[in-house]
Amino acid sequence: WTDHSWLHTSEMATVRVLGPVVLFLACSLVNSQSADTNVADYIFWKKADITAWHQFFPSRVLREELLTNQAAVAAVSNLTSGLGSSLSTVVAFQAQELLTAQQLMAGTDAEGCISGISTYMTKAINDEIATYSDCAADALSKLNRLNKTWASLQSKYTAAYQKALVRIDACAKTYPNKDSLDRLKSCVEAMNINYFLVANATQKALSPSPSMSYFQSVVVECASNAASAVASKGSHFLELLLDCSKLDSTIDQTIYAEQLSQWGGYNDTLASQLVTGQSKNHDQVSAVETKMITYYNLQKETLEKYVIESRGLGFYLNRMYSYLSDYYNTVTATSADNPGDAACVNSANAALQSVVITVASKSLSCDLEIVGNTKQMMSQIVGDFSYLNALMPAIGNAALLNCIRRGYVFAPNTVGNCFNLISWQFDIVNTDRDADIAAKVAVLTGYERSFFSGSDLPCGGTTLKAAYLAAEVALYDLQRCLYITTGTDYSVTTPLPHHQ
């Protein structure tokens, strides 16, 4: 920086020139016009917070429980009507061996023995169907009662959600001006607390799913017990076949015993398949929920701070006056020392004024562009999450129950394989959406750190440097003007500028 004797910065250190009165009136007008808008924006985003939480969590959990309850009712009905067929499949080996024995031992001393045990497995299956029916007799009525409990929860939650939105609007009507913002915030936060108490209680009441918990603890256990009992009787039936074969002298007992031993028995995996599927679904949903919460907090921190401290043209004009205050002070001091050179001083003031207006306008344009991009990306992210959120209620317990409803449930991996297909399909969709969400969240995180968290001048790095350069030119032109009008060579020390 070059030293010039006409500068009196030390004498004017406490003097701050803030530009013509007309510009201050314009700033005041901007601020007064934006006051109600700031309140409206604050209310809009506070309601958006609650709406986002509603969409991401309670409404999805309620939807999931409804689908689970409906699928459980259907699974109970189908399991009951198809239990005989499913149990027959468990002991299909025994049915085949009975047919073989009847053909092999016809006309021998063993024929009567085979005839005597021919209905053994049919009776065993019928007995276990009856036992299952007694065991799960209350299943449908219990699920219907759980559905009524769900309806009550939904009604209570929906009322709390709608009440919160209505009362936030009431807060805005009670405290409509920006100067009442603290009271407005207190009013709104009270509504938030009431809403989240009900929302959290609703989620807690449905986790784990009451309908699925009942289905697993009662219906699945009853069905598994029936299958295990039939399988046990199937093992005994093979022993009876072997005993009957001893009455036929033409049958090699060792070879026949080896043939009957080929039955692998029954390994009950229905309950474990459900648990495995639930664990897989939990991991899927938790991964999405973690991203939802991260985004929700980012949106809340970013926009709430911004709309409360809404930055319009007046804000940026004031910031630029602050940055260039020392330059204005220099011109003022020079004017006092050279009262006869008003034209030079006025020209310098006009040049500084032009710098202030130009940079403030550019900053506001940058501000609006960032806010516009932010809102657009947030809308797109919410759209991506909403799409995933709409899929998730149907890919968990409801999907497992629908797999049971499709038919035979006692094979080792039938339900698990069915569920895996649904799970993999969601993974594909989630991967595509996740890449888009991650890219936008990264941009928003950058905005939050550099723009929404207190930056005085958006895009201000190069803009502010250009402003200081233009202010330097204004002082140089002032020096030149004074030299021309007075014939005196002034040395100039430009002020050390403020830094962003």
Side-chain angles (χ1 to χ4, degrees):
W1 304 92
T2 308
D3 186 30
H4 292 269
S5 60
W6 63 278
L7 176 67
H8 299 281
T9 304
S10 61
E11 298 175 12
M12 302 300 296
T14 60
V15 178
R16 180 156 298 184
V17 179
L18 297 179
V21 174
V22 65
L23 201 51
F24 272 111
L25 292 176
C27 294
S28 299
L29 180 60
V30 169
N31 288 331
S32 66
Q33 289 176 336
S34 65
D36 291 342
T37 302
N38 294 340
V39 170
D41 284 346
Y42 173 71
I43 293 300
F44 173 82
W45 287 112
K46 292 307 292 184
K47 290 170 71 173
D49 282 345
I50 288 181
T51 300
W53 191 266
H54 162 75
Q55 291 176 343
F56 292 165
F57 298 103
S59 67
R60 172 170 55 81
V61 172
L62 283 163
R63 175 67 177 166
E64 182 174 356
E65 179 59 22
L66 175 62
L67 294 180
T68 299
N69 183 270
Q70 293 172 341
V73 169
V76 168
S77 299
N78 283 51
L79 189 58
T80 300
S81 63
L83 185 60
S85 175
S86 294
L87 292 176
S88 295
T89 309
V90 171
V91 288
F93 181 86
Q94 282 78 355
Q96 182 61 48
E97 288 303 316
L98 173 62
L99 181 60
T100 300
Q102 287 173 332
Q103 295 173 347
L104 183 65
M105 302 177 197
T108 70
D109 292 340
E111 182 177 9
C113 180
I114 294 297
S115 177
I117 64 172
S118 61
T119 60
Y120 180 86
M121 289 311 305
T122 300
K123 183 177 183 303
I125 290 172
N126 289 335
D127 287 346
E128 294 310 320
I129 291 174
T131 300
Y132 167 83
S133 297
D134 290 340
C135 180
D138 294 332
L140 291 178
S141 60
K142 174 64 175 180
L143 289 170
N144 286 333
R145 289 194 297 272
L146 289 174
N147 181 263
K148 291 180 180 179
T149 301
W150 170 88
S152 177
L153 277 173
Q154 185 199 40
S155 178
K156 182 178 179 180
Y157 167 76
T158 301
Y161 171 61
Q162 294 174 344
K163 183 178 181 180
L165 297 180
V166 170
R167 289 198 172 181
I168 287 175
D169 285 334
C171 290
K173 292 179 181 178
T174 304
Y175 306 107
N177 300 317
K178 191 175 182 180
D179 56 6
S180 303
L181 195 55
D182 287 341
R183 284 175 288 175
L184 171 63
K185 288 174 63 179
S186 297
C187 181
V188 170
E189 288 307 317
M191 296 305 101
N192 274 6
I193 291 173
N194 291 336
Y195 164 73
F196 280 106
L197 284 174
V198 177
N200 292 338
T202 301
Q203 291 175 244
K204 184 176 181 180
L206 298 177
S207 181
S209 163
S211 296
M212 190 62 176
S213 296
Y214 174 79
F215 186 88
Q216 288 175 279
S217 63
V218 176
V219 179
V220 170
E221 183 175 356
C222 292
S224 294
N225 288 343
S228 296
V230 166
S232 177
K233 292 177 181 179
S235 295
H236 182 61
F237 177 73
L238 295 179
E239 294 174 359
L240 294 177
L241 281 179
L242 186 60
D243 288 341
C244 287
S245 71
K246 295 176 182 178
L247 300 176
D248 186 347
S249 59
T250 64
I251 295 177
D252 186 316
Q253 292 297 301
T254 301
I255 295 176
Y256 190 57
E258 289 179 356
Q259 178 180 326
L260 296 180
S261 68
Q262 292 177 11
W263 186 53
Y266 170 70
N267 181 25
D268 178 32
T269 63
L270 178 57
S272 63
Q273 287 181 77
L274 294 179
V275 171
T276 299
Q278 287 175 316
S279 177
K280 184 178 184 68
N281 177 251
H282 176 270
D283 291 343
Q284 283 182 312
V285 172
S286 293
V288 177
E289 284 184 339
T290 297
K291 293 169 187 173
M292 285 179 175
I293 292 174
T294 299
Y295 167 72
Y296 172 82
N297 289 333
L298 175 64
Q299 171 183 291
K300 184 180 178 68
E301 293 167 5
T302 297
L303 289 175
E304 182 172 330
K305 179 175 179 59
Y306 176 76
V307 298
I308 290 176
E309 301 175 1
S310 185
R311 299 182 283 210
L313 179 60
F315 172 87
Y316 289 112
L317 288 171
N318 287 332
R319 292 309 305 154
M320 286 311 303
Y321 282 129
S322 175
Y323 282 127
L324 299 184
S325 61
D326 285 338
Y327 290 91
Y328 276 106
N329 292 342
T330 296
V331 174
T332 300
T334 302
S335 175
D337 290 344
N338 300 274
D341 294 306
C344 294
V345 172
N346 289 341
S347 178
N349 270 323
L352 291 177
Q353 192 81 331
S354 176
V355 173
V356 167
I357 294 174
T358 299
V359 176
S361 297
K362 288 182 179 179
S363 296
L364 179 60
S365 295
C366 179
D367 183 308
L368 295 176
E369 181 179 359
I370 290 176
V371 172
N373 289 342
T374 297
K375 291 181 178 179
Q376 182 180 18
M377 282 189 287
M378 285 185 168
S379 177
Q380 292 169 345
I381 291 172
V382 169
D384 285 333
F385 277 135
S386 295
Y387 182 82
L388 295 175
N389 220 39
L391 297 178
M392 286 194 289
I395 66 165
N397 290 323
L400 287 166
L401 291 166
N402 286 331
C403 287
I404 290 177
R405 187 170 59 87
R406 290 182 180 181
Y408 176 56
V409 296
F410 297 122
N413 296 308
T414 300
V415 174
N417 289 339
C418 170
F419 179 76
N420 284 339
L421 294 175
I422 298 170
S423 180
W424 292 337
Q425 184 177 12
F426 178 78
D427 278 340
I428 293 171
V429 175
N430 184 33
T431 298
D432 292 340
R433 298 276 172 168
D434 185 59
D436 186 58
I437 291 171
K440 289 183 173 63
V441 167
V443 174
L444 291 177
T445 301
Y447 282 168
E448 196 277 331
R449 291 173 180 170
S450 63
F451 173 67
F452 292 104
S453 294
S455 172
D456 283 336
L457 211 61
C459 314
T462 56
T463 305
L464 194 56
K465 289 179 181 178
Y468 285 137
L469 176 59
E472 293 287 338
V473 172
L475 292 189
Y476 174 80
D477 288 343
L478 175 59
Q479 175 203 19
R480 180 178 177 82
C481 182
L482 291 174
Y483 175 76
I484 293 172
T485 58
T486 65
T488 304
D489 184 10
Y490 291 92
S491 60
V492 176
T493 300
T494 55
L496 183 64
H498 293 192
H499 291 285
Q500 186 180 14

